[in-house]
């Protein structure tokens, strides 16, 4: 019999410490972000307290086995723990020299504060004495009570309030206000109370065996993957349920062991502006949670980069210069190694610096752009990497309005500018009320003393977030920055009363429902609603756009219907108009009557005067647009929507039209009734209007051609393109092309200017894609109308989908709203067919997209892959599309390289 080779059992516990680590930063799927980076920092020689990581696969095992993993994992954990003990020169459970550990979660991507943590684990009635002998009794008993409290809450389910209640009553009995006024004996007495409380609540004594404590904590952290708040967070951030969390067990180091101890968090560059300053906060004699919880106001790391509010606080640079220098060195090492801005956590114990975490730092869009461009200039990354690194979708944040500097404003308080941009809305004091009001369509600003992970849904719903407590790295600040929401934190002047539903600043009272404005760039809190203006974009933004333009293949146009929008879009870099919807021009006050006359006329003779009135107005619109675009292509779509959209419904409107037409009110009403359709989106619209009312299209074509000639004659170049909507049969386009050519010919023949007008069609009906080879015989260009294409292919009403589509996303049937991000499998397939068949007939066919997808990065990538020539999107999305197009081009080069290498 041949010996069968057994596969080596997969490693599930990954050690790190003293310069060696089983893992590395690329293993975040297995080790979670925190574990992977602890391993990496250890490898590159940074001071990391030793420990080990239980992999994310164990999380799945934990779930599958109903939590029974201890037996299987015990040998591996024991080996790793023994290595930690050797390095630390302490033993787990040793009464003389106890090793204490922290047990923390760590998923692949950061889920700030969503899962559980236990600190100081390993303390019991005996080891506390050992710790007291090493440090001091007060510290030891305080640590023990913190442990019992945390373990009791997280692992044993005794609510935090019960513990806090005991602490408060102890302070009352001792007549002190602050924890720091309590002495060792007080803490010892409190520990006794806590232990009794746990026993009373659980029916069992508090576990004294450190191993039992450890396995209890590991189980609790794995379980916390499934808590409702973590599930909500994952749903909002589209984090897959099956990723699971890793668990990190790491030896404790203490920032709260005296005045030569501290704990802090820092960003290697400013996460708000991207400036290259070391940006962080610390607290002396404190544990890490004290900084993040925002209970004490943290001090700045350095003089450079501190805010005016922090100007009087001593810095780490001044208080602990040695540790600060070491931190500066590590900052450099980390940026050189990771080649990205890092968000770090550190602890200083007895003057010695320890690194507890590093990860790529969350940043505002503005900071993302500046950091990427600066790092490319510094040679840390390439230009291509800089392009790939900025989230194209987030760019839009940069383009959003800030407070109008001219507007008067009544600033009532000032806090820390935690996340830029201005927001206004009515005040709400709870996350639930923020969510409810936002659902009802109200803009709200969420005002809290501080926020916690429980508030996530409310923060998501609010326009902006304002807190009375906390620093720049508090929960509110970090989460809001990630969401791209305006946020002001640590506004100490606010006296908030949830009970009364109000906050006060001196004599000023602001109640729930009152309007306020906050400015996340300055920290100002302002009474009432303040006007806003479009911001100026920084030099780095322009640079990134230039680099993107040099890389991308796709042209970026805009959807604009007015000269103003056209100008805005050009400033954002639009290379033309991909869609000018002429119907929007029809709704203006002085025009709508003529439009109604045109629609409700009984015959051509009655329609003619209305068209005569509209012609000069339309011509004026196009002159303005051609001038604004100065020779860039302008695609104008002929009338598209169902006519009934323009009809009057109120008595007065009907009477007005009757008067203008010289008809009876009853007759007009009857005609309105005739125009009513059961299914207007599939009804009398698009090119069907051109077939049945050719004089409407003729008037529009004439207006376009006359405007083009007029502008060209004045010496400005024009490139008009006329686009026929909703074509489904080649016959429609054949006929309408002839109409357009005739009309254009007539106008151009009378002009000095030699204007050329391209004629193309929208491809938005699925059938049009399938017969694109025939349609291309009469089209100079195609523009995919993926809004209608999605509606028709999915049989999903654009106007009603909001009622049920969210349920599809929630249930996971769809990952994206198909009206936002193109459905590659269905609509995408039709687009590919349309492109391929169209170009078979006409290899030089120009192809673009003008549905909303044109400004969505994922869809832009699809368009690049499908070989389109351009995307067209709303003006504010133009920079997004430029960057997304560059990212798509880089990704496609990458794919080609991989294919070549694979050959
Ligand atoms: C489309 O259908 O994608 C399109 C651009 O046209 P509209 O949104 O005006 O129907
Ligand atoms: Mg359409």
């Amino acid at each position: 019999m041949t010996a069968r080779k057994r596969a080596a059992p997969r490693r599930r516990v990954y050690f790190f410490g003293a310069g060696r680590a089983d893992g590395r930063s690329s293993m975040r799927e297995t080790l979670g972000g925190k574990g992977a980076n602890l391993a990496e920092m250890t490898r590159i020689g940074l001071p990391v307290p030793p420990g080990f990581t239980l992999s994310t696969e164990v999380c799945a095992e934990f779930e599958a086995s109903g939590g029974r993993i201890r037996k299987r994992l015990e040998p591996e954990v024991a080996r790793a723990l023994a290595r930690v003990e050797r390095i630390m020169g302490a033993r787990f459970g040793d009464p003389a020299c106890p090793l204490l550990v922290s047990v923390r979660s760590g998923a692949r991507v950061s889920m700030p504060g969503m899962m559980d943590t236990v600190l100081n684990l390993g303390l019991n009635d005996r080891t506390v004495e050992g710790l007291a002998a090493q440090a001091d009794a007060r510290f030891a008993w305080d640590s023990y009570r913190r442990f019992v409290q945390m373990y009791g809450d997280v692992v044993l389910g005794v609510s935090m309030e019960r513990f806090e209640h005991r602490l408060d009553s102890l302070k009352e009995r001792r007549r002190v206000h602050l924890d720091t006024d309590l002495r060792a004996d007080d803490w010892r007495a409190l520990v006794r109370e806590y232990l009794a409380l746990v026993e009373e609540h659980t029916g069992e004594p508090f576990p004294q065996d450190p191993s039992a404590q450890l396995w209890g904590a590991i189980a609790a952290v794995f379980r916390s993957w499934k808590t409702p708040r973590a599930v909500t967070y994952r749903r909002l951030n589209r984090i897959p349920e099956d990723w699971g969390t890793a668990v990190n067990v790491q030896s404790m180091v203490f920032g709260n062991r005296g005045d030569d101890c501290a704990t802090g968090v820092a960003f290697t560059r400013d996460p708000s502006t991207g400036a290259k300053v070391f940006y962080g906060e610390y607290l002396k004699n404190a544990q890490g949670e004290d900084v993040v919880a925002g209970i004490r106001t943290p001090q700045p790391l350095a003089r450079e980069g501190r805010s005016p509010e922090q100007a009087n606080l001593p810095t780490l640079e001044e208080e602990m210069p040695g540790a600060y220098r070491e931190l500066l060195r590590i900052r450099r090492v980390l940026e050189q190694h990771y080649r990205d801005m890092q968000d770090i956590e550190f602890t200083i114990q007895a003057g010695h610096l320890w690194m507890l975490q590093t990860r790529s730092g969350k940043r505002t869009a503005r900071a993302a752009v500046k950091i990427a461009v600066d790092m490319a200039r510094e040679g840390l990354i390439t230009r291509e990497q800089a392009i790939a690194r900025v989230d194209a979708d987030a760019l839009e944040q940069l383009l959003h309005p800030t407070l109008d500097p001219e507007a008067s404003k009544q600033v009532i308080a000032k806090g820390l500018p935690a996340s830029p941009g201005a927001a206004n809305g009515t005040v709400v004091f709870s996350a639930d009320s923020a969510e409810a009001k936002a659902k009802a369509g109200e803009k709200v600003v969420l005002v809290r003393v501080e926020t916690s992970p429980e508030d996530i849904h409310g923060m998501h719903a609010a326009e902006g977030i304002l807190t009375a407590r906390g620093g720049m790295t508090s929960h509110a600040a970090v989460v809001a920055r990630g969401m791209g929401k305006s946020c002001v934190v640590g506004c100490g002047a606010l006296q908030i009363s949830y009970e009364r539903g109000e906050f006060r600043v001196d004599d000023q009272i602001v109640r729930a429902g009152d309007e306020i404005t906050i400015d996340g760039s300055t920290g100002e809190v302002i009474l009432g609603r303040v006007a806003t203006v479009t911001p100026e974009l920084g030099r780095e933004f322009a640079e990134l756009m230039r680099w993107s333009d040099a890389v991308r293949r796709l042209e970026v146009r805009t959807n604009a219907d007015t000269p103003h929008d056209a100008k805005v879009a050009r400033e954002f870099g639009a290379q033309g108009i991909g869609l000018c919807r002429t119907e929007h021009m029809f709704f203006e006050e002085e025009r709508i009557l003529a439009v109604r006359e045109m629609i409700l006329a009984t015959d051509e003779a009655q329609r003619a005067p209305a068209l005569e009135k509209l012609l000069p107005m339309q011509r004026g619109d196009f002159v303005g647009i051609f001038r604004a675009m100065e020779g860039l292509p302008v695609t104008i779509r002929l009338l598209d929507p169902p006519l009934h959209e323009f009809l009057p419904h109120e008595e007065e409107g009907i009477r007005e039209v009757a008067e203008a037409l010289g008809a009876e009110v009853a007759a007009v009403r009857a005609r309105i009734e005739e125009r009513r359709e059961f299914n207007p989106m599939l009804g009398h619209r698009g090119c069907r209007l051109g077939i049945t009312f050719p004089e409407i299209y003729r008037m529009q074509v004439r207006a376009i051609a006359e405007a083009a000639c007029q502008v060209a004659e004045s010496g400005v170049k024009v490139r008009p393109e006329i686009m026929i909507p909703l074509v489904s049969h080649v016959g429609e386009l054949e006929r309408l092309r002839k109409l357009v050519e005739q009309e254009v010919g007539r106008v151009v023949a009378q002009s000095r200017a030699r204007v050329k007008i391209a004629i193309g069609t929208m491809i938005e009906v699925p059938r049009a894609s399938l017969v694109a080879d025939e349609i291309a015989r009469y089209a100079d260009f195609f523009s995919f109308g993926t809004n209608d294409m999605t509606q028709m292919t999915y049989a999903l009403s654009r106007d009603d989908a909001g009622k049920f589509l969210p349920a599809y996303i929630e249930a996971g049937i769809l990952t994206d709203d198909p009206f936002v991000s193109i459905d590659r499998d269905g609509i995408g397939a039709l687009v590919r067919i349309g492109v391929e068949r169209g170009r078979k007939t006409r290899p030089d066919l120009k192809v673009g997209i003008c549905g909303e997808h044109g400004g969505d990065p994922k869809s832009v990538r699809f368009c690049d892959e499908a070989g389109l020539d351009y995307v067209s999107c709303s003006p504010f999305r133009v920079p997004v599309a430029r960057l997304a197009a560059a990212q798509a081009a880089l990704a496609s080069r990458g794919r080609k390289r991989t294919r070549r290498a694979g050959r």
Side-chain angles (χ1 to χ4, degrees):
M1 232 168 76
T2 52
R4 234 190 261 157
K5 259 200 198 158
R6 281 233 201 120
R10 254 182 99 75
R11 186 195 291 278
R12 286 178 290 192
V13 177
Y14 293 75
F15 167 81
F16 55 86
R20 285 161 182 262
D22 297 329
R24 52 177 67 244
S25 63
S26 57
M27 292 170 66
R28 79 176 27 237
E29 281 184 24
T30 311
L31 301 180
K34 191 186 199 82
N37 285 326
L38 284 171
E40 189 76 9
M41 283 200 290
T42 305
R43 273 175 184 276
I44 61 173
L46 298 185
V48 174
F52 53 89
T53 305
L54 276 67
S55 76
T56 52
E57 284 156 30
V58 181
C59 190
E61 267 184 69
F62 181 85
E63 252 183 85
S65 66
R68 279 185 295 276
I69 50 163
R70 177 168 178 175
K71 222 167 155 191
R72 266 179 268 170
L73 282 166
E74 202 142 38
E76 263 190 272
V77 166
R79 271 197 303 277
L81 193 58
R83 287 176 79 179
V84 175
E85 288 177 332
R86 274 198 298 280
I87 295 170
M88 294 303 281
R91 301 260 315 274
F92 201 45
D94 181 349
C97 185
L99 171 74
L100 303 186
V101 296
S102 63
V103 181
R104 296 175 202 261
S105 61
R108 263 192 234 184
V109 292
S110 148
M111 294 172 50
M114 290 298 140
M115 288 177 291
D116 287 330
T117 292
V118 179
L119 303 178
N120 301 337
L121 189 139
L123 279 172
N124 58 23
D125 293 348
R126 282 153 49 93
T127 54
V128 67
E129 301 292 358
L131 185 64
Q134 281 173 357
D136 72 85
R138 189 190 176 283
F139 165 74
W141 285 99
D142 180 18
S143 300
Y144 191 17
R145 74 91 198 172
R146 283 179 190 242
F147 169 57
V148 176
Q149 186 171 330
M150 227 170 179
Y151 196 93
D153 172 41
V154 167
V155 184
L156 304 173
V158 184
S159 86
M160 194 53 106
E161 276 146 41
R162 287 171 188 257
F163 291 109
E164 267 160 16
H165 180 71
R166 306 275 158 132
L167 172 59
D168 288 342
S169 84
L170 174 72
K171 283 201 271 191
E172 230 166 77
R173 274 181 276 137
R174 297 285 186 272
R175 296 176 194 285
V176 298
H177 286 300
L178 301 174
D179 289 6
T180 41
D181 294 332
L182 292 171
R183 292 170 324 197
D185 285 346
D186 299 323
W187 290 127
R188 188 200 303 264
L190 190 64
V191 166
R192 294 286 151 240
E193 280 192 48
Y194 277 7
L195 293 175
L197 171 69
V198 168
E199 186 159 359
E200 181 190 310
H201 191 269
T202 63
E204 303 210 15
F206 185 86
Q208 290 287 320
D209 171 15
S211 287
Q213 294 174 356
L214 179 62
W215 287 101
I218 290 173
V221 174
F222 279 135
R223 267 199 309 271
S224 70
W225 177 254
K226 288 284 183 193
T227 56
R229 66 175 190 225
V231 172
T232 304
Y233 185 89
R234 286 197 290 276
R235 188 166 46 75
L236 288 175
N237 291 281
R238 307 218 176 147
I239 300 171
E241 278 300 303
D242 60 2
W243 278 5
T245 181
V247 174
N248 297 293
V249 178
Q250 190 177 20
S251 29
M252 286 293 298
V253 283
F254 295 96
N256 58 340
R257 221 164 126 162
D259 278 345
D260 55 355
C261 300
T263 186
V265 290
F267 291 89
T268 55
R269 301 187 187 211
D270 185 327
S272 245
T273 64
K276 198 179 174 184
V277 290
F278 197 18
Y279 190 89
E281 295 165 336
Y282 76 103
L283 278 174
K284 223 155 94 168
N285 203 2
Q287 268 195 336
E289 43 177 0
D290 303 336
V291 183
V292 190
I295 292 159
R296 277 162 61 187
T297 297
Q299 299 163 222
L301 287 188
R303 274 180 296 246
E304 178 196 44
R306 69 185 159 178
S307 64
E309 291 72 22
Q310 294 173 321
N312 296 324
L313 298 172
T315 63
L316 187 70
E317 196 177 2
E318 290 153 351
E319 289 199 321
M320 299 184 185
Y324 178 72
R325 270 197 304 279
E326 171 69 348
L327 199 58
L328 267 187
R329 181 188 74 83
I330 289 174
R331 171 195 183 209
R332 217 173 21 252
V333 170
L334 284 173
E335 279 211 346
Q336 290 286 339
H337 185 73
Y338 284 94
R339 292 171 190 271
D340 195 7
M341 186 264 270
Q342 296 293 294
D343 165 359
I344 61 178
E345 286 179 19
F346 63 89
T347 282
I348 299 165
Q349 179 175 311
H352 184 86
L353 179 76
W354 293 98
M355 295 301 296
L356 297 185
Q357 173 155 305
T358 191
R359 60 185 173 194
S360 159
K362 286 206 168 136
R363 62 205 79 179
T364 61
R366 181 174 158 210
V369 171
K370 179 158 172 57
I371 291 170
V373 171
D374 282 352
M375 284 194 165
R377 286 188 189 135
E378 289 161 28
L380 276 177
I381 56 174
T382 62
R383 284 184 182 185
E384 283 75 16
Q385 283 169 320
I387 289 170
R389 208 168 258 187
V390 177
D391 172 12
D393 245 334
L395 270 194
E396 213 192 335
Q397 276 181 39
L398 290 182
L399 316 174
H400 282 301
T402 52
L403 290 184
D404 178 356
E406 305 298 320
S408 66
K409 57 184 185 188
Q410 190 187 344
V411 178
I412 51 169
K414 210 160 173 211
L416 299 175
S419 182
N424 48 36
T426 51
V427 169
V428 291
F429 289 103
S430 77
D432 286 345
S433 130
E435 192 177 53
K437 295 219 152 136
K439 260 201 189 128
E442 201 171 319
K443 281 169 70 174
V444 298
V445 175
L446 177 62
V447 182
R448 303 281 301 163
V449 174
E450 60 200 346
T451 65
S452 74
E454 264 90 350
D455 296 318
I456 288 285
H457 61 295
M459 298 174 76
H460 198 74
E463 299 293 315
I465 297 126
L466 168 64
T467 71
R469 284 203 203 138
M472 292 292 280
T473 46
S474 64
H475 180 266
V478 171
V479 173
R481 223 175 277 135
M483 288 180 176
K485 300 225 166 192
S486 167
C487 179
V488 174
V489 299
C491 188
L494 257 55
Q495 292 172 284
I496 299 175
S497 165
Y498 293 141
E499 288 80 10
R500 286 196 298 276
E502 64 178 32
F503 71 76
R504 279 166 192 263
V505 182
D506 303 325
D507 293 334
Q508 185 77 51
I509 301 178
V510 177
R511 299 198 169 81
D514 290 353
E515 280 195 326
I516 61 164
T517 301
I518 57 170
D519 187 345
S521 311
T522 61
E524 288 174 340
V525 180
I526 304 155
L527 218 50
R529 190 176 287 259
V530 179
T532 53
V533 288
T534 310
E536 263 183 48
L537 301 165
R539 267 187 308 134
E540 288 81 10
F541 179 85
E543 188 83 345
L544 185 70
M545 287 293 116
R546 263 198 301 280
W547 295 351
S548 300
D549 292 347
V551 163
R552 67 186 160 93
R553 185 188 64 74
L554 281 171
E555 196 182 295
V556 177
R557 297 194 189 180
T558 190
N559 295 355
D561 315 327
T562 65
H564 172 264
D565 287 358
K567 271 196 208 105
V568 170
R570 272 196 73 178
E571 274 157 29
F572 287 145
Q575 294 165 284
I577 290 181
L579 173 63
C580 172
R581 292 177 165 102
T582 48
E583 61 269 18
H584 290 175
M585 302 164 167
F586 284 7
F587 281 102
E588 277 178 29
E589 188 82 36
E590 68 278 19
R591 302 188 183 189
I592 188 71
L593 180 60
V595 173
R596 287 172 177 167
E597 284 173 55
M598 168 179 89
I599 296 168
L600 291 168
T602 40
D603 52 29
E604 256 192 84
Q606 209 180 27
R607 189 163 295 122
L611 291 169
E612 279 304 312
K613 273 186 240 168
L614 285 170
L615 177 74
M617 297 180 192
Q618 282 263 276
R619 191 171 51 223
D621 296 329
F622 299 135
V623 166
I625 288 176
F626 290 142
R627 286 198 189 283
M629 295 311 283
E630 288 180 301
L632 295 176
V634 176
T635 308
I636 299 168
R637 179 179 73 185
L638 302 185
L639 199 62
D640 176 55
L643 290 182
H644 79 99
E645 285 190 11
F646 301 102
L647 295 178
H649 298 291
E650 279 113 44
E651 214 39 44
E652 198 192 320
I654 300 175
R655 222 174 311 116
E656 241 178 18
V657 182
E659 216 167 280
L661 286 174
E664 295 288 325
V665 169
V668 171
R669 202 174 288 124
R671 258 175 261 159
I672 292 175
E673 204 45 49
E674 272 167 37
R675 291 261 172 272
R676 211 174 292 289
E677 294 180 288
F678 284 108
N679 218 336
M681 272 294 160
L682 301 178
H684 196 178
R685 59 170 288 217
C687 63
R688 297 159 197 173
L689 298 172
I691 301 286
T692 50
F693 300 116
E695 60 281 13
I696 298 181
Y697 271 21
R698 220 173 264 134
M699 177 277 288
Q700 289 197 295
V701 173
R702 207 166 127 201
I704 296 167
E706 287 179 357
C709 291
Q710 185 182 323
V711 174
E713 282 167 15
S714 74
V716 178
K717 271 180 88 178
V718 285
R719 272 178 67 193
E721 301 177 338
I722 291 178
M723 181 155 76
I724 314 289
L726 215 79
V727 165
S728 57
H729 192 283
V730 63
E732 294 169 320
L733 189 62
E734 181 186 4
R735 193 179 170 110
L736 291 172
R737 183 177 180 108
K738 224 173 266 160
L739 177 150
V740 174
E741 279 173 346
Q742 274 171 3
E743 204 58 38
V744 168
R746 256 201 287 276
V747 175
V748 171
Q750 289 166 14
S751 167
R752 284 185 281 116
R754 271 201 263 129
V755 170
K756 271 209 173 129
I757 301 184
I759 302 166
T761 180
M762 293 196 67
I763 302 287
E764 50 187 342
V765 177
R767 187 179 190 279
S769 262
L770 300 174
V771 298
D773 46 349
E774 292 176 35
I775 290 179
R777 298 206 325 261
Y778 301 98
D780 303 327
F781 63 89
F782 280 178
S783 178
F784 283 93
T786 42
N787 301 335
D788 269 309
M789 182 86 98
T790 302
Q791 164 164 271
M792 296 190 204
T793 308
Y794 246 118
L796 200 57
S797 161
R798 281 163 75 169
D799 306 304
D800 304 309
K803 296 203 182 99
F804 49 85
L805 211 51
Y808 274 61
I809 312 260
E810 197 137 314
I813 299 172
L814 294 176
T815 45
D816 286 306
D817 179 337
F819 288 111
V820 174
S821 232
I822 200 159
D823 155 48
R824 279 178 172 253
D825 300 339
I827 286 78
L830 280 168
V831 170
R832 284 182 189 277
I833 289 171
V835 175
E836 190 198 312
R837 296 192 182 169
R839 290 211 175 120
K840 207 162 78 195
T841 303
R842 208 172 174 137
D844 64 341
L845 186 76
K846 183 134 186 162
V847 183
I849 182 174
C850 61
E852 287 306 297
H853 305 91
D856 165 64
K858 278 194 213 163
S859 314
V860 170
R861 182 160 174 172
F862 166 78
C863 293
D864 189 63
E865 288 168 24
L868 266 58
D869 298 304
Y870 68 87
V871 296
S872 188
C873 56
S874 63
F876 278 85
R877 284 253 133 193
V878 167
V880 175
R882 285 164 76 191
L883 180 59
Q887 291 171 341
L890 290 174
S892 129
R893 282 185 206 169
R895 272 195 310 277
K896 279 188 197 135
R897 265 200 299 275
T898 316
R899 269 203 301 274
R900 271 202 303 275
R903 242 183 251 145

